[in-house]
């Protein structure tokens, strides 16, 4: 009896265990698919804010550059950053990447065999951690790239990088017309919703509120009457009046403009901002129509008129232009219409096109928003039509917030920024801003944005006490020499400065803020090739030269690199005009052959001044970086002083037996910022970030007059 009871109990236990195992199998989570990337893929190329990827082996290489420590600039190699932070090693593995905001500075360091570099600032950052999914977060099986690299963006969509001429939102109306509906169906509502527009278009959403927050007393309120219109803008006022009358006549039908047919019934609810509307089904039944007669004769059908060619733009004015327009309540509706007419006139005078200037518009009030970006419209005609449709936002005049928005969000590759074209921001201000602009403007200038201000009806003597930041124009514009600021006494005089503004914007040689610390120098390396250096150390020295060079934007119009090697004698390895790409420069540095001999540093400085810096361009900063490992056999003070007087900014790097007094004599004042000493060649890399930082700090501290 006992045996049979025990057998029954064991059978029940086994049955329960088997059932529990089956339940565990059923609830097992599906396997996460992790996309694999290459070592050189940068976080900034991925649009997804958080994702898990798998790095391949072999990413611990100097060519995969990393910027920062713990928090990395988004144009760093993700796999390189993961190795640097210790998440993976050179054998690769899974990593979790999370995008975070940009930082004002990134500190370089050496960790896990990776040398990360410093950077003054960047617009976006990321952090890396172990490749384990966080609870509640769904990770994409495919990555969404911001370039034309082949990648699935959404189901059925492919990313294109073309310029769009006339973006036309399409509406899809879902109705049934084949079967007559019963009488009760005539009041059955339907929804008309817009089809999503192409991913490259920037969609503007305007929300009108019934109650408007009153404007603070520190910013005067403009009158919005209709009398006293200046003759130059009488057509604008008349057009606005006609639009109001037409809107009253059309009633609610205007909300569905662009659809093939719409109801004539006026007793329907008003359309919402989402373009959803209720209409009787019967109203959409299209009656039978006779064949469409276009009115062409047979001869006209055979010989149609050619389409009017679309301009490719003015090639003498190739700039990427952002207009920051004032949408605050202080401007009033009439002046806002005048402002739009001014934008339309400027776009016509610029001759917009992909071979010339491109233009986008940001409207600011309490907060800024993009009306359309650089690649939304590629000709003046379409751009002018789009300008006419802009609605006023209202709010305050927060210009500083708008400038910060432009710097971080507007001039991006994804928005049509072309890289080779200067970035220009024109700020329209009615009176004065309601926030501070100095800091946001400084960061924008350091990013290479040329800021213009057009102020209309500026504060008079009695109103200046209400201005939050005195002299805000001089604190904001690219240079304070008057070229970047235009003051218009009245809105009705605004049309008079169209040609003046266009002329200044198109004078690309005077757009000084396009020049940054990384794209506006002629850098000459003066390299000690004496016998005390040795073959192995000479290769380390050349790697140091290459590491500095690769931090700059190199081309025949940006930063240029040259090199001189010296012993008792001197040799020009290559001049500034020899190579115009970064890769060619790096290859040329690698090919420099070790010379061996004595150390005549003074003569080397004279030689570099005569054969290298004498051929520097007038608009370039002349920077000499001299590297030596010992005391010179000749005098260095007089040659260095002559070079300084000729505008050469000299950095001296001493190794091992270099003489400190000579290094200080060679370096530009202050010596501490331009002279460096290291005990071993293997420690040269430590000074790369410091030298880059000092070059940029010195550039950005130049007077702006």
């Amino acid at each position: 009896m006992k045996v049979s009871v025990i057998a029954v109990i064991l059978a029940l236990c086994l049955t329960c265990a088997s059932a529990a195992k089956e339940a565990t199998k059923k609830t097992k989570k599906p396997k996460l698919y992790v996309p694999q990337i290459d070592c050189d893929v940068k976080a900034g190329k991925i649009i997804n804010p958080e994702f898990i990827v798998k790095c391949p082996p072999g990413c611990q290489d100097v060519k995969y550059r990393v910027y920062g420590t713990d928090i990395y600039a988004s144009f760093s190699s993700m796999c390189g950053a993961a190795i640097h932070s210790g998440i993976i090693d050179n054998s690769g593995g899974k990593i979790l990447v999370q995008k975070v905001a940009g930082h004002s500075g990134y500190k370089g360091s050496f960790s896990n065999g990776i040398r990360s570099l410093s950077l003054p600032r960047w617009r976006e950052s990321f952090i890396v951690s172990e490749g384990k999914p966080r609870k509640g977060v769904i990770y994409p099986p495919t990555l969404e790239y911001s370039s034309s690299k082949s990648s699935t963006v959404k189901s059925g969509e492919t990313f294109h990088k073309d310029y769009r001429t006339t973006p036309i939102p399409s509406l899809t109306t879902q109705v049934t017309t084949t079967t007559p509906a019963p009488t009760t169906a005539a009041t059955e509502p339907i929804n008309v919703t817009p089809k999503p527009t192409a991913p490259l278009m920037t969609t503007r959403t305007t929300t009108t509120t019934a109650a408007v927050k009153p404007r603070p007393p520190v910013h005067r309120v403009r009158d919005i009457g209709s009398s006293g219109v200046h003759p130059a803008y009488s057509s604008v006022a008349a057009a606005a009046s006609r639009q109001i009358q037409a809107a009253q006549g059309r009633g609610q039908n205007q909300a569905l403009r662009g659809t093939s047919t719409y109801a004539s019934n006026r007793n329907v609810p008003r359309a919402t901002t989402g373009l959803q509307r209720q209409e009787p089904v019967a109203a959409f039944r299209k009656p039978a129509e006779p064949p469409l007669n276009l009115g062409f004769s047979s001869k006209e059908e055979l010989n149609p008129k050619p389409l009017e060619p679309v301009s490719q733009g003015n090639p003498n004015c190739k700039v990427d232009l952002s207009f920051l327009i004032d949408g605050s309540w202080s401007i009033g509706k009439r002046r806002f219409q005048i402002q739009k007419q001014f934008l339309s006139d400027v776009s016509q005078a610029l001759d917009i096109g992909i071979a010339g200037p491109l233009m986008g518009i940001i409207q600011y009030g309490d907060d800024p928003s993009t009306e359309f970006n650089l690649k939304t419209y590629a000709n003046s005609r379409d751009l002018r039509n789009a300008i006419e449709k802009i609605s006023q936002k209202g709010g305050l005049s927060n210009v500083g917030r708008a400038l910060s928005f432009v710097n971080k969000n507007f001039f991006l590759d994804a928005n049509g920024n072309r890289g080779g074209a200067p970035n220009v921001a024109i700020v329209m201000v009615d009176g004065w801003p309601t926030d501070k602009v100095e800091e946001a403007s400084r960061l924008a200038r350091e990013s290479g944005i040329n800021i213009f201000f057009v102020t209309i009806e500026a504060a008079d003597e009695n109103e200046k006490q209400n201005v939050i930041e005195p002299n805000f124009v001089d604190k904001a514009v690219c240079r304070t020499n008057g070229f970047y600021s235009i003051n218009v006494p009245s809105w009705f005089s605004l049309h008079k400065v169209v040609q003046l503004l266009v002329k200044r914007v198109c004078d690309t040689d005077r757009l000084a803020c396009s020049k940054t610390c990384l794209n506006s120098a002629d850098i000459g390396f003066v390299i000690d090739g004496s016998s005390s250096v040795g073959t192995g150390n000479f290769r380390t020295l050349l790697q140091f030269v290459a590491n500095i060079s690769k931090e700059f934007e190199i081309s025949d119009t940006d930063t240029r690199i040259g090199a001189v090697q010296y012993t008792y004698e001197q040799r020009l390895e290559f001049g500034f005009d020899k190579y115009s790409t970064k890769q060619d420069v790096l290859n040329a540095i690698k090919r420099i052959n070790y010379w061996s001999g004595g150390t005549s540093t003074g003569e080397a400085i004279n030689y570099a001044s005569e054969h290298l810096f004498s051929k520097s361009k007038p608009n370039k900063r002349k920077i000499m970086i001299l590297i030596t490992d010992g005391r010179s056999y000749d005098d260095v003070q007089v040659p260095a002083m002559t070079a300084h007087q000729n505008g050469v900014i000299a950095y001296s790097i001493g190794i091992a037996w270099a003489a400190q007094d000579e290094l200080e004599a060679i370096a530009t004042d202050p010596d501490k910022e331009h002279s460096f000493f290291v005990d071993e060649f293997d420690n040269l890399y430590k000074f790369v970030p410091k030298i880059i930082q000092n070059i940029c700090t010195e550039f950005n501290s130049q007077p702006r007059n």
Side-chain angles (χ1 to χ4, degrees):
M1 181 66 180
K2 289 183 179 180
V3 174
S4 60
V5 171
I6 293 171
V8 170
I9 292 172
L10 287 174
L12 288 173
C13 290
L14 290 172
T15 303
C16 291
S18 178
K21 188 174 181 181
E22 289 297 324
T24 303
K25 288 182 179 179
K26 289 180 181 179
T27 58
K28 188 176 181 181
K29 294 182 179 179
K31 185 178 180 181
L32 174 67
Y33 175 76
V34 178
Q36 180 161 331
I37 61 173
D38 296 329
C39 295
D40 60 348
V41 175
K42 301 175 177 61
K45 291 293 183 182
I46 310 297
I47 296 177
N48 309 76
E50 182 174 338
F51 49 89
I52 296 177
V53 292
K54 185 176 182 181
C55 294
C59 295
Q60 189 176 358
D61 194 306
V62 69
K63 66 182 179 181
Y64 306 126
R65 285 182 290 170
V66 177
Y67 297 83
T69 301
D70 296 329
I71 298 178
Y72 302 94
S74 64
F75 69 112
S76 303
S77 159
M78 290 186 287
C79 297
I83 296 175
H84 181 267
S85 61
I87 303 302
I88 60 174
D89 55 23
N90 198 37
S91 61
K94 296 179 184 178
I95 60 171
L96 171 62
V97 179
Q98 294 171 278
K99 299 282 192 71
V100 294
H103 280 237
S104 59
Y106 299 86
K107 186 177 181 181
S109 63
F110 184 80
S111 177
N112 300 309
I114 294 283
R115 161 60 56 186
S116 72
L117 302 175
S118 296
L119 190 70
R121 62 181 300 275
W122 193 246
R123 56 179 172 261
E124 185 184 49
S125 313
F126 70 97
I127 56 177
V128 289
S129 55
E130 288 187 41
K132 298 179 180 178
R134 294 195 299 137
K135 187 175 181 180
V137 180
I138 300 175
Y139 294 95
T142 58
L143 300 177
E144 189 174 357
Y145 287 85
S146 62
S147 66
S148 58
K149 184 173 181 178
S150 177
S151 173
T152 301
V153 179
K154 293 180 181 179
S155 178
E157 295 181 1
T158 306
F159 189 91
H160 297 279
K161 200 173 181 181
D162 300 328
Y163 285 91
R164 183 172 300 278
T165 304
T166 313
I168 304 175
S170 58
L171 298 178
T172 302
T173 306
Q174 296 180 354
V175 295
T176 302
T177 59
T178 55
T179 305
T183 307
T184 56
T187 60
E188 188 175 334
I190 63 166
N191 289 333
V192 181
T193 57
K195 186 183 295 183
T197 56
L200 292 180
M201 291 174 54
T202 300
T203 303
R204 171 172 55 82
T205 302
T206 304
T207 304
T208 305
T209 55
V212 177
K213 190 175 180 180
R215 185 64 181 267
V218 297
H219 200 55
R220 59 186 156 168
V221 178
R222 306 292 185 189
D223 113 44
I224 57 172
S226 59
S227 61
V229 179
H230 190 280
Y233 286 101
S234 59
S235 61
V236 176
S241 176
R242 287 196 300 272
Q243 288 176 359
I244 294 171
Q245 294 174 4
Q248 292 172 347
R250 286 194 299 269
Q252 308 305 327
N253 294 336
Q254 192 174 13
L256 285 178
R257 181 181 298 159
T259 58
S260 59
T261 59
Y262 55 89
S264 60
N265 184 1
R266 302 200 181 256
N267 299 318
V268 293
R270 186 175 182 84
T272 65
T273 55
L275 288 181
Q276 291 186 346
R277 165 175 189 154
Q278 305 228 346
E279 290 284 358
V281 172
F284 280 85
R285 295 196 189 112
K286 190 172 182 180
E289 295 180 356
L292 183 64
N293 181 8
L294 299 178
F296 289 121
S297 66
S298 57
K299 185 175 181 180
E300 289 174 325
E301 291 174 356
L302 293 174
N303 300 287
K305 292 182 179 180
L307 294 175
E308 182 181 349
V310 178
S311 172
Q312 296 297 301
N314 179 8
N316 298 319
C317 184
K318 190 173 182 180
V319 296
D320 287 344
L321 173 63
S322 169
F323 254 103
L324 281 69
I325 64 172
D326 192 340
S328 63
W329 293 128
S330 74
I331 192 175
K333 293 183 179 179
R334 178 174 54 160
R335 290 175 174 83
F336 187 77
Q337 189 71 19
I338 293 174
Q339 183 177 221
K340 292 200 300 182
Q341 182 62 46
F342 176 72
L343 296 182
S344 181
D345 293 343
V346 169
S347 69
Q348 183 68 24
L350 282 170
D351 187 11
I352 300 297
I354 58 175
L358 292 176
M359 177 173 157
I361 292 180
I362 291 171
Q363 183 181 173
Y364 68 88
D366 291 335
D367 295 295
S369 62
T370 302
E371 298 290 342
F372 40 82
N373 60 36
L374 293 169
K375 64 182 179 183
T376 308
Y377 300 104
N379 62 71
S380 296
R381 179 191 59 203
D382 296 336
L383 183 59
R384 295 178 71 186
N385 291 336
I387 290 170
E388 181 58 34
K389 298 174 183 176
I390 296 176
S391 301
Q392 187 176 2
K393 283 171 58 70
L396 302 176
S397 296
N398 290 331
V399 176
R401 190 173 293 179
L403 285 169
S404 179
F405 177 85
V406 168
N407 185 31
K408 295 177 181 178
N409 301 290
F410 189 82
F411 292 108
L412 307 176
D413 293 346
N415 292 337
N417 186 50
R418 292 174 288 182
N423 294 159
V424 177
I426 300 175
V427 185
M428 306 281 294
V429 184
D430 173 49
W432 57 87
T434 54
D435 64 348
K436 293 187 176 182
V437 303
E438 185 173 14
E439 179 64 13
S441 301
R442 180 185 66 81
L443 295 174
R445 290 194 303 268
E446 291 179 4
S447 297
I449 301 174
N450 297 272
I451 302 175
F452 286 78
F453 261 58
V454 178
T455 52
I456 304 98
E457 298 183 15
D460 57 29
E461 290 299 324
N462 295 327
E463 295 171 321
K464 285 184 178 178
Q465 60 183 351
N466 297 326
V467 179
I468 293 177
E469 192 174 29
N471 301 320
F472 66 88
V473 173
D474 284 347
K475 292 177 180 178
V477 294
C478 175
R479 295 288 184 269
T480 59
N481 54 13
F483 181 79
Y484 294 88
S485 57
I486 299 175
N487 182 31
V488 184
S490 166
W491 278 97
F492 303 111
S493 303
L494 190 58
H495 66 283
K496 297 179 181 179
V497 301
V498 170
Q499 294 300 329
L500 174 62
L501 180 62
V502 169
K503 182 179 179 181
R504 292 186 181 183
V505 167
C506 292
D507 190 356
T508 54
D509 290 337
R510 295 190 64 180
L511 298 180
C513 283
S514 296
K515 300 176 178 65
T516 68
C517 61
L518 301 178
N519 69 6
S520 59
D522 280 344
I523 302 177
F525 291 94
V526 182
I527 304 167
D528 185 350
S530 61
S531 302
S532 58
V533 174
T535 303
N537 288 333
F538 189 75
R539 304 317 301 177
T540 303
L541 191 155
L542 291 182
Q543 184 60 55
F544 171 73
V545 172
N547 288 343
I548 292 178
S549 300
K550 67 173 62 173
E551 295 303 308
F552 291 88
E553 300 170 20
I554 297 174
S555 76
D556 54 353
T557 57
D558 295 316
T559 291
R560 304 186 301 170
I561 305 292
V564 168
Q565 184 183 177
Y566 74 94
T567 57
Y568 282 130
E569 301 178 286
Q570 305 82 35
R571 182 170 71 197
L572 180 66
E573 299 293 350
F574 54 89
F576 293 134
D577 57 354
K578 181 70 173 178
Y579 302 109
S580 59
T581 69
K582 183 178 295 187
Q583 193 56 54
D584 287 344
V585 168
L586 296 179
N587 290 339
I589 293 170
K590 190 182 298 184
R591 290 194 300 267
I592 295 176
N593 293 318
Y594 177 46
W595 204 355
S596 185
T599 310
S600 295
T601 306
E603 282 300 316
I605 296 172
N606 284 333
Y607 182 89
S609 297
E610 181 180 350
H611 293 86
L612 198 57
F613 292 106
S614 64
K615 296 176 173 58
S616 183
K617 291 184 178 180
N619 62 339
K620 299 289 185 183
R621 298 171 72 230
K622 295 183 282 189
I623 298 176
M624 178 177 71
I625 301 177
L626 186 143
I627 312 141
T628 182
D629 80 328
R631 180 175 289 277
S632 176
Y633 294 165
D634 59 358
D635 175 63
V636 300
Q637 190 166 1
V638 173
M641 188 180 300
T642 302
H644 298 164
Q645 292 171 350
N646 290 330
V648 176
I649 302 169
Y651 288 81
S652 59
I653 294 92
I655 311 154
W657 301 280
Q660 187 65 38
D661 58 328
E662 290 185 349
L663 296 176
E664 293 176 358
I666 294 169
T668 297
D669 290 332
D671 300 340
K672 291 182 180 180
E673 300 297 326
H674 297 85
S675 178
F676 305 92
F677 180 83
V678 62
D679 54 353
E680 295 180 359
F681 281 87
D682 288 340
N683 291 327
L684 272 173
Y685 70 88
K686 295 180 179 180
F687 290 106
V688 172
K690 182 64 174 175
I691 292 171
I692 300 298
Q693 182 180 356
N694 286 6
I695 289 173
C696 286
T697 300
E698 190 171 42
F699 177 88
N700 294 328
S701 63
Q702 294 179 106
R704 295 193 298 114
N705 50 24

